[in-house]
Amino acid sequence: NQKYTPISEIWKDYKDARNGVGKSMEEFYNATLGRPYIDTEAQPISMDIIENCVNPHAKWAYDPAASRVKYKNCAMGVDQRGGQNHVVIMARNADNKPTIVHLEEIDDKNHKYWENGRPVTPFKRLYDLMREFDVGLCVCDAMPNINESQEFARAFPGRVFISFYQESTGPDIVQWMDRLKMKENVKRGSKEIKLKWQVKLRRYDVIDQALTIWARRGIEIPHPDALTSLFMNEDTGLFEYQPIARKLFRHMLSMVREEEPMNKDINDSRTKMRYVYLNKDPHFTHSLAMCLTAFYRLKRQAIFV
């Protein structure tokens, strides 16, 4: 037998939570409504903010009306997981502002990427994108396919950097390893250790920086419905043609700031910020952060200070 909560009781719980009595607002949403609670104060991006960056005059690279505009010296960010790569590509507009010109979800289950009727690694498509967009600098997630990401970096030395997230509290939120002097013990190490085309990113800060740049209208994107792509519908599990920018938007909207203790010592009152996800892992948000990291190194204007 199902037990139903009277609407009058739900309304009372809501008013009490709003007035700071009884359940917290988060507990009310989670326990009473059975829905995730979104604290708008902790959510840096809203749909209004996202749409403020849409430039209806900008063109996607594969927009037929743009006659396949050839972009030069682009920046690319790649977030990977098993069998998938999420790609964001940017170019400079006339005002030197970063403009998203291409988005792609490469999935080894998607038959459009198959060769001779068989799946191939999603990294194969990355090699093509490097040439199609004349990518000057790409920041590519190193994990989980570390061997393929390292091979990708060696194929384009100085143009592809594999990235690792770190939680350090040092002054630099981005560390380009090619700019650091290699220690003698590293020089004598394996070829994996000696790969200098690496970049270390402080997870919370690079994501926060990317969302802040978007919130300040420091980036632009063509109309989101003008580029459709074949990728998996997260609700149905089927491959369908959809506006891929809408998936980027959903991934950005899923990011929520949360404060947590610096460590488990109960006598230590220090805290740090982190991002938690309302839904599934928002891969395009990571790709966006990596792409902006690449873009600003290309521009020779270090904003990560």
Side-chain angles (χ1 to χ4, degrees), residues 224-242:
D225 297 330
L227 177 68
T228 58
S229 179
L230 182 67
F231 61 95
M232 186 182 290
N233 185 313
E234 292 177 332
D235 297 323
T236 66
L238 302 175
F239 285 95
E240 302 170 359
Y241 280 95
Q242 309 162 70

Side-chain angles (χ1 to χ4, degrees), residues 106-147:
I106 309 165
D107 192 325
D108 64 5
K109 296 182 181 64
N110 188 344
H111 63 81
K112 94 177 211 181
Y113 296 108
W114 291 10
E115 294 182 358
N116 300 319
R118 300 175 65 87
V120 297
T121 170
F123 274 82
K124 191 174 190 305
R125 173 64 178 150
L126 297 184
Y127 288 74
D128 296 335
L129 289 172
M130 288 290 293
R131 300 181 182 96
E132 287 178 30
F133 287 87
D134 185 39
V135 174
L137 191 64
C138 169
V139 173
C140 176
D141 186 15
M143 304 295 285
N145 302 299
I146 184 67
N147 291 333

Side-chain angles (χ1 to χ4, degrees), residues 25-38 278-279:
M25 189 60 74
E26 181 177 4
E27 188 180 1
F28 168 74
Y29 268 78
N30 294 340
T32 304
L33 299 183
R35 298 182 62 186
Y37 173 66
I38 302 174
L278 293 178
N279 300 303

Side-chain angles (χ1 to χ4, degrees), residues 16-294:
D16 287 347
R18 189 178 60 182
N19 295 324
V21 180
K23 295 178 181 178
S24 67
M25 189 60 74
E26 181 177 4
E27 188 180 1
F28 168 74
Y29 268 78
N30 294 340
T32 304
L33 299 183
R35 298 182 62 186
Y37 173 66
I38 302 174
D39 181 359
T40 55
E41 293 296 320
Q43 192 177 27
I45 290 290
S46 67
M47 200 60 214
D48 288 340
I49 289 174
I50 287 175
E51 290 178 344
N52 281 339
C53 291
V54 173
N55 179 356
H57 302 294
K59 299 294 184 183
W60 294 102
Y62 291 104
D63 181 354
S67 301
R68 291 203 171 198
V69 173
K70 178 66 175 176
Y71 291 96
K72 291 286 188 180
N73 204 32
C74 291
M76 184 163 80
V78 181
D79 185 61
Q80 61 153 314
R81 63 173 176 168
Q84 278 188 347
N85 284 335
H86 292 76
V87 180
V88 176
I89 298 179
M90 293 176 180
R92 292 181 181 83
N93 68 4
D95 299 322
N96 218 24
K97 181 186 288 188
T99 301
I100 296 176
V101 296
H102 187 63
L103 297 167
E104 193 164 334
E105 181 180 287
I106 309 165
D107 192 325
D108 64 5
K109 296 182 181 64
N110 188 344
H111 63 81
K112 94 177 211 181
Y113 296 108
W114 291 10
E115 294 182 358
N116 300 319
R118 300 175 65 87
V120 297
T121 170
F123 274 82
K124 191 174 190 305
R125 173 64 178 150
L126 297 184
Y127 288 74
D128 296 335
L129 289 172
M130 288 290 293
R131 300 181 182 96
E132 287 178 30
F133 287 87
D134 185 39
V135 174
L137 191 64
C138 169
V139 173
C140 176
D141 186 15
M143 304 295 285
N145 302 299
I146 184 67
N147 291 333
E148 289 182 290
S149 60
Q150 287 181 343
E151 289 172 8
F152 184 40
R154 290 193 180 92
F156 299 93
R159 291 171 60 197
V160 173
F161 282 73
I162 60 173
S163 67
F164 297 87
Y165 276 136
Q166 60 180 356
E167 305 294 340
S168 75
T169 57
D172 300 323
I173 71 174
V174 174
Q175 281 189 314
W176 298 99
M177 304 310 289
D178 65 317
R179 292 178 173 174
L180 300 179
K181 188 174 181 180
M182 205 176 291
K183 296 180 181 178
E184 287 302 317
N185 62 335
V186 174
K187 287 181 180 178
R188 292 194 295 268
S190 67
K191 66 178 182 179
E192 286 76 16
I193 296 176
K194 289 195 294 184
L195 179 67
K196 68 177 181 177
W197 312 118
Q198 301 182 38
V199 58
K200 293 183 179 180
L201 309 175
R202 214 157 68 203
R203 181 193 294 267
Y204 171 81
D205 293 282
V206 292
I207 293 174
D208 191 61
Q209 186 76 273
L211 297 178
T212 299
I213 290 171
W214 195 294
R216 293 176 179 173
R217 299 179 62 203
I219 190 172
E220 69 176 26
I221 186 170
H223 194 287
D225 297 330
L227 177 68
T228 58
S229 179
L230 182 67
F231 61 95
M232 186 182 290
N233 185 313
E234 292 177 332
D235 297 323
T236 66
L238 302 175
F239 285 95
E240 302 170 359
Y241 280 95
Q242 309 162 70
I244 194 164
R246 297 291 178 187
K247 187 165 188 175
L248 166 66
F249 295 169
R250 289 196 301 274
H251 283 192
M252 288 196 293
L253 289 169
S254 74
M255 309 297 293
V256 177
R257 294 189 187 98
E258 181 179 85
E259 191 173 16
E260 66 174 0
M262 188 77 75
N263 56 56
K264 295 181 180 179
D265 186 348
I266 60 174
N267 297 317
D268 190 345
S269 60
R270 293 178 301 165
T271 60
K272 62 181 180 179
M273 299 300 295
R274 68 168 182 164
Y275 273 107
V276 295
Y277 314 145
L278 293 178
N279 300 303
K280 297 178 181 178
D281 196 345
H283 295 283
F284 271 120
T285 306
H286 297 286
S287 303
L288 176 70
M290 293 176 196
C291 190
L292 280 167
T293 301

